[in-house]
Coordinates of all heavy atoms in Angstrom, one line a residue:
Y75 N 0.8 -1.2 0.0 CA 0.0 0.0 0.0 C 0.9 1.3 0.0 O 0.6 2.2 0.7 CB -0.9 0.0 1.2 CG -1.9 -1.1 1.2 CD1 -1.9 -2.1 2.1 CD2 -2.9 -1.2 0.2 CE1 -2.8 -3.2 2.1 CE2 -3.8 -2.2 0.2 CZ -3.7 -3.2 1.1 OH -4.6 -4.3 1.1
M76 N 1.9 1.2 -0.8 CA 2.8 2.4 -0.9 C 2.2 3.4 -1.8 O 1.7 3.0 -2.9 CB 4.2 2.0 -1.4 CG 5.0 1.3 -0.3 SD 5.7 2.6 0.6 CE 7.4 2.3 0.7
C77 N 2.3 4.6 -1.4 CA 1.8 5.7 -2.3 C 3.0 6.3 -3.1 O 4.1 6.4 -2.5 CB 1.1 6.7 -1.4 SG 0.6 8.1 -2.4
D78 N 2.8 6.6 -4.3 CA 3.9 7.1 -5.1 C 4.4 8.5 -4.6 O 5.6 8.8 -4.6 CB 3.5 7.3 -6.6 CG 3.4 6.0 -7.3 OD1 4.0 5.0 -6.8 OD2 2.7 5.9 -8.3
S79 N 3.5 9.3 -4.0 CA 3.9 10.6 -3.5 C 4.8 10.4 -2.3 O 5.7 11.2 -2.1 CB 2.6 11.4 -3.2 OG 1.9 10.8 -2.1
L80 N 4.6 9.4 -1.5 CA 5.5 9.2 -0.4 C 6.9 8.8 -0.8 O 7.9 9.3 -0.3 CB 4.9 8.0 0.5 CG 5.8 7.6 1.7 CD1 5.8 8.8 2.7 CD2 5.2 6.4 2.3
I81 N 7.0 8.0 -1.9 CA 8.3 7.6 -2.4 C 9.0 8.8 -3.0 O 10.2 9.0 -2.8 CB 8.1 6.5 -3.5 CG1 7.6 5.2 -2.8 CG2 9.4 6.2 -4.2 CD1 7.2 4.1 -3.7
L82 N 8.2 9.6 -3.7 CA 8.8 10.8 -4.3 C 9.3 11.8 -3.3 O 10.4 12.5 -3.4 CB 7.8 11.5 -5.3 CG 7.4 10.7 -6.5 CD1 6.3 11.4 -7.3 CD2 8.7 10.5 -7.4
M83 N 8.6 11.9 -2.2 CA 9.0 12.8 -1.1 C 10.3 12.3 -0.5 O 11.2 13.1 -0.2 CB 7.9 12.9 0.0 CG 6.7 13.8 -0.4 SD 5.4 14.0 0.8 CE 5.9 13.1 2.2
Q84 N 10.4 11.0 -0.3 CA 11.7 10.5 0.3 C 12.8 10.7 -0.7 O 13.9 11.0 -0.2 CB 11.5 9.0 0.6 CG 10.5 8.7 1.7 CD 11.0 9.2 3.0 OE1 12.2 9.4 3.2 NE2 10.1 9.5 3.9
E85 N 12.6 10.5 -2.0 CA 13.7 10.7 -2.9 C 14.1 12.2 -2.9 O 15.3 12.5 -3.1 CB 13.3 10.3 -4.3 CG 13.1 8.8 -4.5 CD 12.6 8.4 -5.8 OE1 12.2 9.3 -6.6 OE2 12.5 7.2 -6.1
A86 N 13.2 13.1 -2.8 CA 13.5 14.5 -2.8 C 14.4 14.9 -1.6 O 15.4 15.6 -1.6 CB 12.3 15.4 -2.8
K87 N 14.1 14.3 -0.4 CA 14.8 14.5 0.8 C 16.3 14.0 0.6 O 17.2 14.6 1.0 CB 14.2 13.8 2.0 CG 12.9 14.5 2.5 CD 12.4 13.8 3.7 CE 11.1 14.4 4.1 NZ 10.5 13.7 5.3
V88 N 16.4 12.8 0.0 CA 17.7 12.2 -0.2 C 18.6 13.1 -1.1 O 19.7 13.3 -0.8 CB 17.6 10.8 -0.7 CG1 18.9 10.2 -1.2 CG2 17.0 9.9 0.3
T89 N 18.0 13.6 -2.2 CA 18.8 14.4 -3.1 C 19.2 15.7 -2.5 O 20.3 16.2 -2.7 CB 18.0 14.6 -4.4 OG1 16.7 15.2 -4.1 CG2 17.8 13.4 -5.2
K90 N 18.3 16.3 -1.6 CA 18.7 17.5 -0.9 C 19.9 17.3 0.0 O 20.8 18.1 0.0 CB 17.5 18.1 -0.2 CG 16.5 18.8 -1.0 CD 15.4 19.3 -0.1 CE 14.2 19.9 -0.9 NZ 13.1 20.4 -0.1
S91 N 19.8 16.2 0.8 CA 20.9 15.9 1.7 C 22.2 15.6 0.9 O 23.3 16.0 1.4 CB 20.5 14.8 2.6 OG 20.3 13.6 1.9
M92 N 22.1 14.9 -0.2 CA 23.3 14.6 -1.0 C 23.9 15.9 -1.5 O 25.1 16.1 -1.6 CB 22.9 13.7 -2.1 CG 22.6 12.3 -1.7 SD 22.1 11.2 -3.0 CE 23.6 11.1 -4.0
K93 N 23.1 16.9 -2.0 CA 23.6 18.1 -2.5 C 24.4 18.9 -1.4 O 25.4 19.5 -1.6 CB 22.5 19.0 -3.0 CG 22.0 18.5 -4.4 CD 20.9 19.4 -4.9 CE 20.3 18.9 -6.2 NZ 19.2 19.7 -6.7
K94 N 23.8 18.9 -0.1 CA 24.5 19.5 1.0 C 25.9 18.9 1.2 O 26.9 19.6 1.4 CB 23.7 19.4 2.2 CG 22.5 20.3 2.3 CD 21.7 20.2 3.6 CE 20.5 21.0 3.6 NZ 19.7 20.8 4.8
L95 N 25.9 17.6 1.2 CA 27.2 16.9 1.4 C 28.2 17.2 0.3 O 29.4 17.3 0.6 CB 27.0 15.4 1.5 CG 26.3 14.9 2.8 CD1 26.0 13.4 2.7 CD2 27.2 15.1 4.0
Q96 N 27.7 17.2 -0.9 CA 28.7 17.5 -2.0 C 29.2 18.9 -1.9 O 30.4 19.1 -2.1 CB 27.9 17.4 -3.4 CG 27.6 15.9 -3.7 CD 26.8 15.8 -5.0 OE1 26.3 16.8 -5.5 NE2 26.7 14.6 -5.5
G97 N 28.4 19.9 -1.4 CA 28.9 21.2 -1.2 C 30.0 21.3 -0.1 O 30.9 22.0 -0.2
R98 N 29.8 20.4 0.9 CA 30.8 20.4 2.0 C 32.1 19.8 1.6 O 33.2 20.2 2.1 CB 30.2 19.6 3.2 CG 29.1 20.4 3.9 CD 28.6 19.6 5.0 NE 27.4 20.1 5.6 CZ 26.6 19.5 6.3 NH1 26.8 18.3 6.7 NH2 25.5 20.1 6.8
R99 N 32.1 18.9 0.7 CA 33.3 18.2 0.3 C 34.3 19.2 -0.4 O 35.5 19.0 -0.2 CB 33.0 17.1 -0.8 CG 32.5 15.8 -0.1 CD 32.5 14.7 -1.1 NE 31.4 13.8 -0.7 CZ 30.6 13.2 -1.6 NH1 30.8 13.3 -2.9 NH2 29.7 12.3 -1.1
H100 N 33.8 20.1 -1.1 CA 34.7 21.1 -1.8 C 35.0 22.3 -1.0 O 35.8 23.1 -1.4 CB 34.0 21.5 -3.1 CG 33.8 20.3 -4.0 ND1 34.8 19.6 -4.6 CD2 32.6 19.7 -4.4 CE1 34.3 18.6 -5.3 NE2 33.0 18.7 -5.2
A101 N 34.4 22.4 0.2 CA 34.7 23.6 1.0 C 36.1 23.4 1.7 O 36.4 22.2 2.1 CB 33.6 23.7 2.1
P102 N 36.9 24.4 1.8 CA 38.2 24.2 2.5 C 38.0 23.9 4.0 O 37.2 24.4 4.6 CB 38.9 25.6 2.2 CG 37.8 26.5 2.0 CD 36.7 25.8 1.4
M103 N 38.9 23.1 4.5 CA 38.9 22.7 5.9 C 39.5 23.9 6.7 O 40.6 24.3 6.4 CB 39.7 21.4 6.1 CG 39.1 20.2 5.4 SD 37.6 19.7 6.1 CE 38.2 19.0 7.7
K104 N 38.8 24.3 7.7 CA 39.3 25.4 8.6 C 39.4 24.9 10.0 O 39.4 25.7 10.9 CB 38.3 26.6 8.5 CG 38.3 27.2 7.1 CD 37.4 28.4 7.1 CE 37.3 29.0 5.7 NZ 36.4 30.2 5.7
S105 N 39.5 23.6 10.2 CA 39.5 23.1 11.6 C 40.9 23.1 12.2 O 41.9 23.1 11.4 CB 38.9 21.7 11.6 OG 39.7 20.8 10.9
K106 N 40.9 23.1 13.5 CA 42.2 23.1 14.2 C 42.7 21.6 14.3 O 41.9 20.7 14.2 CB 42.0 23.7 15.6 CG 41.5 25.1 15.6 CD 41.3 25.6 17.0 CE 40.7 27.0 17.0 NZ 40.4 27.5 18.3
P107 N 43.9 21.4 14.7 CA 44.4 20.0 14.9 C 43.7 19.4 16.1 O 43.2 20.1 17.0 CB 45.9 20.2 15.2 CG 46.2 21.6 14.7 CD 45.0 22.4 14.7
I108 N 43.5 18.1 16.0 CA 42.8 17.4 17.1 C 43.3 17.6 18.5 O 42.6 17.8 19.4 CB 42.7 15.9 16.7 CG1 41.9 15.7 15.5 CG2 42.2 15.1 17.9 CD1 41.9 14.2 15.0
T109 N 44.7 17.6 18.6 CA 45.3 17.8 19.9 C 44.9 19.1 20.5 O 44.7 19.3 21.7 CB 46.8 17.6 19.8 OG1 47.3 18.5 18.8 CG2 47.2 16.2 19.5
Q110 N 44.9 20.2 19.6 CA 44.5 21.5 20.1 C 43.0 21.5 20.5 O 42.7 22.1 21.5 CB 44.8 22.5 19.0 CG 44.6 24.0 19.5 CD 44.9 25.0 18.4 OE1 45.3 24.6 17.3 NE2 44.8 26.2 18.7
L111 N 42.2 20.9 19.7 CA 40.8 20.9 20.1 C 40.6 20.1 21.4 O 39.8 20.6 22.3 CB 39.9 20.2 19.0 CG 39.7 21.0 17.7 CD1 39.1 20.1 16.7 CD2 38.9 22.2 18.0
Q112 N 41.3 19.0 21.6 CA 41.1 18.3 22.8 C 41.6 19.1 24.0 O 41.0 19.1 25.1 CB 42.0 17.0 22.8 CG 41.4 15.9 21.8 CD 42.3 14.7 21.7 OE1 43.5 14.8 21.9 NE2 41.8 13.6 21.2
S113 N 42.7 19.8 23.8 CA 43.2 20.7 24.9 C 42.2 21.8 25.3 O 42.0 22.0 26.5 CB 44.6 21.3 24.5 OG 45.0 22.2 25.4
E114 N 41.7 22.4 24.3 CA 40.7 23.5 24.5 C 39.5 22.9 25.3 O 39.0 23.6 26.2 CB 40.3 24.2 23.2 CG 41.4 25.0 22.6 CD 41.1 25.5 21.3 OE1 39.9 25.3 20.8 OE2 41.9 26.2 20.7
R115 N 38.9 21.8 24.8 CA 37.8 21.2 25.4 C 38.0 20.8 26.9 O 37.2 20.9 27.7 CB 37.3 20.1 24.6 CG 36.6 20.5 23.3 CD 36.1 19.3 22.5 NE 35.6 19.8 21.2 CZ 35.4 19.0 20.2 NH1 35.7 17.7 20.3 NH2 35.0 19.4 19.1
R116 N 39.2 20.3 27.1 CA 39.6 19.8 28.4 C 39.7 21.0 29.4 O 39.1 21.0 30.5 CB 41.0 19.2 28.4 CG 41.4 18.6 29.7 CD 42.8 18.0 29.7 NE 43.1 17.2 28.5 CZ 43.9 17.5 27.5 NH1 44.6 18.6 27.6 NH2 44.1 16.7 26.5
E117 N 40.3 22.1 28.9 CA 40.4 23.3 29.7 C 39.0 23.9 30.0 O 38.7 24.4 31.1 CB 41.2 24.4 29.1 CG 42.7 24.0 29.0 CD 43.3 23.7 30.3 OE1 43.0 24.4 31.3 OE2 44.1 22.7 30.4
E118 N 38.1 23.9 29.0 CA 36.7 24.4 29.2 C 36.0 23.5 30.3 O 35.3 24.0 31.2 CB 35.9 24.4 27.9 CG 36.3 25.4 26.9 CD 35.6 25.2 25.6 OE1 34.7 24.4 25.5 OE2 36.0 25.9 24.7
G119 N 36.2 22.2 30.2 CA 35.5 21.3 31.1 C 36.0 21.5 32.5 O 35.3 21.4 33.5
L120 N 37.3 21.7 32.7 CA 37.9 21.8 34.0 C 37.6 23.1 34.6 O 37.5 23.3 35.8 CB 39.4 21.6 33.9 CG 39.9 20.2 33.6 CD1 41.4 20.2 33.4 CD2 39.5 19.2 34.7
A121 N 37.4 24.2 33.8 CA 37.1 25.5 34.3 C 35.6 25.6 34.8 O 35.3 26.4 35.7 CB 37.3 26.5 33.3
A122 N 34.7 24.8 34.2 CA 33.3 24.8 34.6 C 33.0 24.0 35.8 O 33.6 22.9 36.0 CB 32.5 24.3 33.4
P123 N 32.2 24.5 36.7 CA 31.8 23.8 37.9 C 30.9 22.6 37.5 O 30.2 22.6 36.5 CB 31.1 24.8 38.8 CG 30.6 25.8 37.9 CD 31.5 25.8 36.7
I124 N 30.8 21.6 38.4 CA 29.9 20.5 38.1 C 28.5 21.0 38.3 O 28.1 21.7 39.2 CB 30.2 19.3 39.2 CG1 31.6 18.8 39.0 CG2 29.2 18.2 39.0 CD1 32.0 17.8 40.0
S125 N 27.6 20.6 37.3 CA 26.3 21.0 37.3 C 25.5 20.3 38.4 O 25.8 19.2 38.8 CB 25.6 20.8 36.0 OG 25.4 19.4 35.7
K126 N 24.4 20.9 38.8 CA 23.5 20.2 39.8 C 22.8 19.1 39.3 O 22.2 18.3 40.1 CB 22.6 21.3 40.4 CG 23.3 22.3 41.2 CD 22.4 23.3 41.9 CE 23.3 24.3 42.7 NZ 22.5 25.3 43.4
E127 N 22.8 18.9 38.0 CA 22.1 17.7 37.4 C 23.0 16.5 37.3 O 22.6 15.4 37.0 CB 21.6 18.0 36.0 CG 20.4 18.9 35.9 CD 20.7 20.4 36.2 OE1 21.8 20.8 35.7 OE2 20.0 21.1 36.9
N128 N 24.3 16.7 37.6 CA 25.3 15.6 37.6 C 24.9 14.6 38.7 O 24.6 14.9 39.8 CB 26.7 16.2 37.8 CG 27.8 15.2 37.8 OD1 27.8 14.3 38.7 ND2 28.6 15.3 36.8
K129 N 25.0 13.3 38.3 CA 24.6 12.3 39.3 C 25.5 12.3 40.5 O 25.1 12.1 41.6 CB 24.7 10.9 38.6 CG 24.2 9.8 39.5 CD 24.0 8.5 38.7 CE 23.5 7.5 39.7 NZ 22.7 6.5 39.0
G130 N 26.9 12.5 40.3 CA 27.8 12.5 41.5 C 27.5 13.7 42.4 O 27.5 13.5 43.6
F131 N 27.1 14.8 41.8 CA 26.8 16.0 42.7 C 25.5 15.7 43.4 O 25.4 16.0 44.6 CB 26.6 17.2 41.8 CG 26.3 18.5 42.6 CD1 27.4 19.2 43.1 CD2 25.1 18.9 42.8 CE1 27.2 20.3 43.9 CE2 24.8 20.0 43.6 CZ 25.9 20.7 44.1
K132 N 24.6 15.1 42.8 CA 23.3 14.7 43.5 C 23.6 13.8 44.7 O 23.0 14.0 45.8 CB 22.3 14.1 42.5 CG 21.7 15.1 41.6 CD 20.7 14.4 40.6 CE 20.1 15.3 39.6 NZ 19.2 14.6 38.7
M133 N 24.4 12.8 44.5 CA 24.7 11.9 45.6 C 25.4 12.6 46.7 O 25.1 12.4 47.9 CB 25.6 10.8 45.0 CG 24.9 9.8 44.1 SD 26.0 8.6 43.3 CE 26.6 7.7 44.7
L134 N 26.4 13.5 46.4 CA 27.0 14.3 47.5 C 26.0 15.2 48.2 O 26.1 15.3 49.4 CB 28.2 15.1 46.9 CG 29.4 14.4 46.5 CD1 30.3 15.3 45.7 CD2 30.1 13.9 47.7
A135 N 25.1 15.8 47.4 CA 24.1 16.7 48.1 C 23.2 15.9 49.0 O 22.8 16.4 50.1 CB 23.3 17.4 47.0
M136 N 22.9 14.6 48.6 CA 22.1 13.8 49.5 C 22.8 13.5 50.8 O 22.1 13.2 51.9 CB 21.6 12.5 48.8 CG 20.6 12.7 47.8 SD 19.9 11.2 47.2 CE 21.2 10.5 46.2
M137 N 24.1 13.5 50.8 CA 24.9 13.2 52.0 C 25.3 14.4 52.8 O 26.0 14.4 53.7 CB 26.2 12.4 51.6 CG 25.9 11.0 51.1 SD 27.4 10.1 50.8 CE 27.8 10.6 49.2
G138 N 24.7 15.6 52.3 CA 24.9 16.8 53.1 C 25.9 17.8 52.5 O 26.2 18.8 53.1
Y139 N 26.5 17.5 51.3 CA 27.5 18.4 50.8 C 26.9 19.7 50.3 O 25.8 19.7 49.7 CB 28.2 17.7 49.6 CG 29.2 18.6 48.8 CD1 30.4 19.0 49.3 CD2 28.8 19.1 47.6 CE1 31.2 19.8 48.6 CE2 29.6 19.9 46.9 CZ 30.9 20.2 47.4 OH 31.7 21.1 46.7
K140 N 27.6 20.8 50.5 CA 27.2 22.1 49.9 C 28.4 22.6 49.2 O 29.5 22.5 49.6 CB 26.8 23.0 51.1 CG 25.5 22.6 51.8 CD 25.2 23.6 52.9 CE 24.0 23.1 53.6 NZ 24.0 21.8 54.3
P141 N 28.2 23.2 48.0 CA 29.3 23.7 47.2 C 30.1 24.8 48.0 O 29.6 25.6 48.7 CB 28.6 24.4 46.0 CG 27.3 23.7 45.9 CD 26.9 23.4 47.3
G142 N 31.4 24.6 47.9 CA 32.3 25.5 48.5 C 32.8 25.0 49.9 O 33.7 25.6 50.5
T143 N 32.2 24.0 50.4 CA 32.6 23.5 51.7 C 33.5 22.3 51.5 O 33.5 21.7 50.4 CB 31.4 23.1 52.6 OG1 30.6 22.1 51.9 CG2 30.5 24.3 52.8
G144 N 34.2 21.9 52.5 CA 35.1 20.7 52.4 C 34.3 19.4 52.6 O 33.2 19.4 53.1
L145 N 34.9 18.3 52.2 CA 34.3 17.0 52.4 C 34.6 16.5 53.8 O 35.6 16.9 54.4 CB 34.8 16.1 51.3 CG 34.4 16.4 49.9 CD1 35.0 15.4 49.0 CD2 32.9 16.4 49.7
G146 N 33.8 15.6 54.2 CA 34.1 14.9 55.5 C 33.1 15.3 56.6 O 32.2 16.1 56.4
K147 N 33.2 14.6 57.7 CA 32.2 14.8 58.8 C 32.2 16.2 59.3 O 31.2 16.8 59.6 CB 32.5 13.8 59.9 CG 31.5 13.7 61.0 CD 31.8 12.6 62.0 CE 30.7 12.5 63.0 NZ 31.0 11.4 63.9
T148 N 33.4 16.8 59.4 CA 33.5 18.1 60.0 C 33.7 19.2 58.9 O 34.0 20.3 59.2 CB 34.7 18.2 61.0 OG1 35.9 17.9 60.3 CG2 34.5 17.3 62.1
S149 N 33.5 18.8 57.6 CA 33.7 19.7 56.5 C 35.1 20.3 56.5 O 35.3 21.5 56.0 CB 32.6 20.8 56.4 OG 31.4 20.2 56.3
S150 N 36.1 19.6 57.0 CA 37.4 20.1 57.0 C 38.3 19.7 55.9 O 39.5 20.0 55.8 CB 38.1 19.8 58.3 OG 38.2 18.4 58.4
G151 N 37.7 18.9 54.9 CA 38.5 18.4 53.8 C 38.9 19.5 52.8 O 38.4 20.6 52.9
T152 N 39.6 19.1 51.8 CA 40.1 20.1 50.9 C 38.9 20.6 50.0 O 38.0 19.9 49.7 CB 41.2 19.5 49.9 OG1 41.6 20.5 49.0 CG2 40.7 18.3 49.2
T153 N 39.0 21.9 49.7 CA 37.9 22.5 48.8 C 38.4 22.7 47.4 O 37.7 23.0 46.5 CB 37.5 23.8 49.4 OG1 38.6 24.7 49.5 CG2 36.8 23.7 50.7
E154 N 39.7 22.6 47.2 CA 40.3 22.7 45.9 C 40.3 21.4 45.2 O 40.4 20.3 45.8 CB 41.8 23.2 46.0 CG 41.9 24.6 46.6 CD 41.3 25.6 45.7 OE1 41.4 25.6 44.5 OE2 40.6 26.5 46.3
T155 N 40.1 21.4 43.9 CA 40.1 20.2 43.1 C 41.6 19.7 42.9 O 42.5 20.4 43.0 CB 39.6 20.4 41.7 OG1 40.3 21.5 41.0 CG2 38.1 20.9 41.7
I156 N 41.7 18.4 42.7 CA 43.0 17.8 42.5 C 43.4 18.1 41.1 O 42.7 17.9 40.2 CB 42.9 16.2 42.7 CG1 42.4 15.9 44.2 CG2 44.2 15.6 42.4 CD1 42.1 14.5 44.4
P157 N 44.6 18.6 41.0 CA 45.1 19.0 39.6 C 45.2 17.8 38.7 O 45.5 16.7 39.1 CB 46.4 19.7 39.9 CG 46.9 19.2 41.2 CD 45.7 18.9 42.0
L158 N 45.0 18.1 37.4 CA 45.1 17.0 36.4 C 46.6 17.0 35.9 O 47.1 18.0 35.5 CB 44.2 17.3 35.3 CG 44.1 16.4 34.1 CD1 43.6 15.1 34.5 CD2 43.3 17.0 33.0
A159 N 47.2 15.8 35.8 CA 48.5 15.7 35.3 C 48.4 14.7 34.1 O 48.1 13.5 34.3 CB 49.5 15.2 36.4
L160 N 48.7 15.2 32.9 CA 48.7 14.4 31.7 C 50.0 13.7 31.5 O 51.0 14.4 31.5 CB 48.3 15.2 30.5 CG 46.9 15.8 30.5 CD1 46.7 16.7 29.3 CD2 45.8 14.7 30.5
K161 N 50.0 12.5 31.1 CA 51.2 11.8 30.8 C 51.4 12.0 29.3 O 50.5 11.8 28.5 CB 51.1 10.3 31.1 CG 51.2 10.0 32.5 CD 51.1 8.5 32.8 CE 52.4 7.9 32.3 NZ 52.5 6.4 32.6
R162 N 52.6 12.3 28.9 CA 52.9 12.5 27.5 C 54.1 11.6 27.0 O 55.0 12.1 26.5 CB 53.2 14.0 27.2 CG 52.0 14.9 27.6 CD 52.2 16.2 26.9 NE 51.2 17.1 27.3 CZ 50.1 17.4 26.7 NH1 49.9 16.8 25.5 NH2 49.2 18.3 27.1
D163 N 53.9 10.3 27.2 CA 55.0 9.4 26.7 C 54.5 8.4 25.8 O 53.5 8.2 25.4 CB 55.8 8.8 27.8 CG 55.1 8.4 29.1 OD1 54.2 9.1 29.5 OD2 55.5 7.4 29.7

């Protein structure tokens, strides 16, 4: 029970998407090297605080954690994050 108009609509969508892809193939690449992109994304992620929707943050909040306070029973734990050390060998 296929309708010809349905088939024609699907073919039109396919040809439009193919034209878009063909136009992209001939466009010059302006992207940065992968290592630089990874470095930038890592720095952005480390600079941003953990969101309140994060599962780990929710678990800490259920145990009484408040942002800016230390961890532990007396809240005397470190408030600074542990620095990230990348191995490059």
